[in-house]
Amino acid sequence: MPNYHVTLQAPYIVKNVEDVEDAISVAISNVGKLLNKNNMEYVDIDVGLTICPKCGEPIDCVLVVARTAMVGLLLSMKVFNAESLEHAIRIAKSTIGRALKDIPLEVVDVVEI
């Protein structure tokens, strides 16, 4: 049975932030606490990237309006002994979804390792 590295994307809302860096720090900290509370230290957290519509360069996936931010996070984990690629995705979504209730998860990338 193959092993996979699954990366999911999740939006996270942060309130009362000063700027983009503050929003990123708070989002990663809060999601990290939720995952650690469920003994999921093996899930990696990163900030997603999006393409700037003006210059075409990649930028952090963060939008701050009126001291409220939505941060696009990438959550990745290794899934061992999955029956198929689809099975690995279901395992990752289920595992991470239990810790991050009511936060939508979308598949970004799956790589067999």
Side-chain angles (χ1 to χ4, degrees):
M1 294 184 143
N3 301 323
Y4 294 91
H5 187 263
V6 181
T7 303
L8 304 175
Q9 180 175 309
Y12 193 78
I13 305 292
V14 182
K15 296 183 179 181
N16 297 320
V17 293
E18 296 294 325
D19 53 25
V20 169
E21 290 79 22
D22 188 26
I24 291 170
S25 297
V26 172
I28 289 175
S29 175
N30 289 350
V31 170
K33 287 176 188 174
L34 290 171
L35 293 169
N36 289 340
K37 188 169 78 173
N38 289 281
N39 297 319
M40 298 174 62
E41 295 84 11
Y42 52 86
V43 177
D44 294 325
I45 307 168
D46 289 310
V47 177
L49 295 175
T50 191
I51 302 300
C52 174
K54 195 156 191 137
C55 67
E57 293 294 318
I59 57 173
D60 290 332
C61 191
V62 180
L63 174 65
V64 179
V65 177
R67 297 179 48 98
T68 301
M70 182 168 70
V71 182
L73 296 175
L74 296 177
L75 307 166
S76 58
M77 65 179 279
K78 292 178 183 172
V79 177
F80 299 99
N81 299 320
E83 295 173 5
S84 65
L85 183 130
E86 292 78 19
H87 186 229
I89 292 169
R90 284 194 310 272
I91 291 170
K93 279 186 166 184
S94 173
T95 303
I96 294 172
R98 268 185 259 133
L100 305 179
K101 294 176 177 34
D102 299 325
I103 296 177
L105 300 171
E106 182 178 301
V107 178
V108 174
D109 189 36
V110 182
V111 177
E112 187 172 343
I113 51 177

